[in-house]
């Protein structure tokens, strides 16, 4: 009887252990394999497709033209079908959308750190990748086919968005990328053109989750 | 003998469970209690003291004045002794320091999301706090007492920095805050002056870890 109780306790501990492990990975998407660090386009597309949030920068109208970063969610497509183009769901109740409608210059900055794949590296270390996509933040035509694609991309990765208040008049924006700054190892930014980035075929490294 | 083995296995499982739990929190500092959402100064100081990295935004010299975000590590003091003033360890090999030396206008943006205290809220949800400190990014005098304080603050939270290459000539910068934009619940940005933020006494909510 005592042994039986001990077996039960062991089972309970096993459940606790695996439950705990599961909780560890809930905060982020399960990552597709991290590309080789020298495959710059693959690495950049991986960072953008695996992350679900970043900092979107605009030029502040209210703060004398200062660069104004804001935490935003984004999506470049449904999981494992990323396009590399980040889409956003923004309201002019927030300064970022207001700024962009006045001056389109913008950048989106993403860190590898929240993906949990940097090991023990410091977030500023070049070993923990960072990417900044600079370009124009533009409002999509509400009746375009692109807006339909973008809405599906956003709502799939961010289901909560579907329920955000209609009265806030959220609209879909995209970043038209003109420059890519990525560091994913020692030796400075990786050479990477916008064409190389956009033309990279994601399925080269996609894995089914 | 069988029972003894089972006891041993149970002990092993218990060790695994607590080890696993410990690993879960390694990616971030153990958080002091999250302040009440209506205590704007306390909340803002908590976000800045608990986070160890964010996005530092400057005006790009190379990209036609675009707002340029970069992933950086920072520290506002040793743990639980934060000052609210973010210090950075930057090199002019990186565009952020070069930009700041040309035009000081800057902002630091931090999300509550990586702290793991947003529950199931989306990173863009107002329920998951975000803060943007806007001001001037200034280089500290290498012989000042403030630079000594800042170095200790940075190296305590980012021990890896001590070993970064001397040849890269890292220097300490700080953000002189002029405006605070924080959302930590529904209803738009919380009213919060720079004086209220800087004068807030951290030990009101500090807990020993």
């Amino acid at each position: 009887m005592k042994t039986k109780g001990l077996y039960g306790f062991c089972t309970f501990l096993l459940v606790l252990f695996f439950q705990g492990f599961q909780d560890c990975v809930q905060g982020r998407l399960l990552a597709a394999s991290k590309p080789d660090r020298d495959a710059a386009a693959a690495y950049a597309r991986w960072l953008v497709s695996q992350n679900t949030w970043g900092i979107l920068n605009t030029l502040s109208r209210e703060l004398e033209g200062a660069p104004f970063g804001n935490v935003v969610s984004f999506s470049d497509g449904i999981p494992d079908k990323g396009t590399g183009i980040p889409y956003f769901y923004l309201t002019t109740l927030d300064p970022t959308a207001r700024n962009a409608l006045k001056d389109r210059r913008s950048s989106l900055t993403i860190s590898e750190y929240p993906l949990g794949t940097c090991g023990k590296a410091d977030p500023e270390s070049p070993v923990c990748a960072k990417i900044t996509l600079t370009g124009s933040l533009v409002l999509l035509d509400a009746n375009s086919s692109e807006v339909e694609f973008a809405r599906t991309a956003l709502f799939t990765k961010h289901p909560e968005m579907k329920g955000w208040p209609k009265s806030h008049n959220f609209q879909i924006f995209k970043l038209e990328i003109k420059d890519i700054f990525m560091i994913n190892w020692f030796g400075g930014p990786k050479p990477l053109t916008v064409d190389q980035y956009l033309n990279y075929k994601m399925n080269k490294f996609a894995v089914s989750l």
Side-chain angles (χ1 to χ4, degrees), chain A:
Chain A
M1 195 61 189
K2 193 178 167 188
T3 309
K4 201 174 167 186
L6 206 54
Y7 270 120
F9 183 58
C10 274
T11 309
F12 173 68
L13 282 177
L14 267 174
V15 169
L16 267 184
F17 174 63
F18 287 109
Q19 183 64 41
F21 181 73
Q22 201 174 34
D23 285 349
C24 277
V25 295
Q26 266 186 356
R28 54 189 167 90
L29 289 175
L30 281 167
S33 304
K34 183 164 155 172
D36 184 273
R37 63 179 180 254
D38 291 323
Y43 210 107
R45 291 288 296 276
W46 175 78
L47 279 171
V48 172
S49 69
Q50 291 298 315
N51 266 290
T52 60
W53 66 280
I55 308 296
L56 185 58
N57 260 285
T58 49
L59 295 167
S60 173
R61 297 176 62 188
E62 289 106 3
L63 300 167
E64 299 169 356
F68 180 82
N70 206 346
V71 179
V72 296
S73 292
F74 71 89
S75 175
D76 76 330
I78 58 172
D80 292 321
K81 302 273 185 187
T83 59
I85 301 165
Y87 294 97
F88 309 93
Y89 200 51
L90 306 174
T91 162
T92 51
L93 291 175
D94 212 58
T96 300
R98 292 199 300 272
N99 292 341
L101 292 174
K102 182 82 176 174
D103 188 327
R104 293 176 166 189
R105 285 177 291 176
S106 178
S107 70
L108 173 68
T109 307
I110 298 168
S111 169
E112 184 183 339
Y113 200 75
L115 296 180
T117 49
C118 287
K120 293 186 185 302
D122 188 86
E124 192 174 312
S125 162
V127 169
C128 189
K130 55 190 77 176
I131 188 168
T132 302
L133 306 171
T134 305
S136 294
L137 185 59
V138 297
L139 176 64
L140 292 191
D141 177 347
N143 299 313
S144 63
S145 58
E146 189 175 11
V147 95
E148 283 306 313
F149 171 84
R151 187 179 290 112
T152 303
L154 283 161
F155 289 5
T156 306
K157 287 191 178 172
H158 305 279
E160 187 188 311
M161 285 179 175
K162 286 179 207 164
W164 288 357
K166 292 270 179 282
S167 62
H168 287 194
N169 192 29
F170 281 91
Q171 293 175 292
I172 295 177
F173 289 71
K174 77 167 169 181
L175 187 68
E176 289 179 350
I177 305 167
K178 294 178 181 170
D179 183 86
I180 300 170
F181 171 89
M182 181 179 75
I183 290 181
N184 70 345
W185 198 249
F186 304 106
K190 280 283 194 307
L192 178 60
T193 68
V194 176
D195 278 349
Q196 287 167 340
Y197 170 85
L198 290 176
N199 292 330
Y200 179 75
K201 296 281 174 279
M202 282 289 281
N203 55 10
K204 281 188 189 168
F205 68 87
V207 295
S208 63
L209 297 177

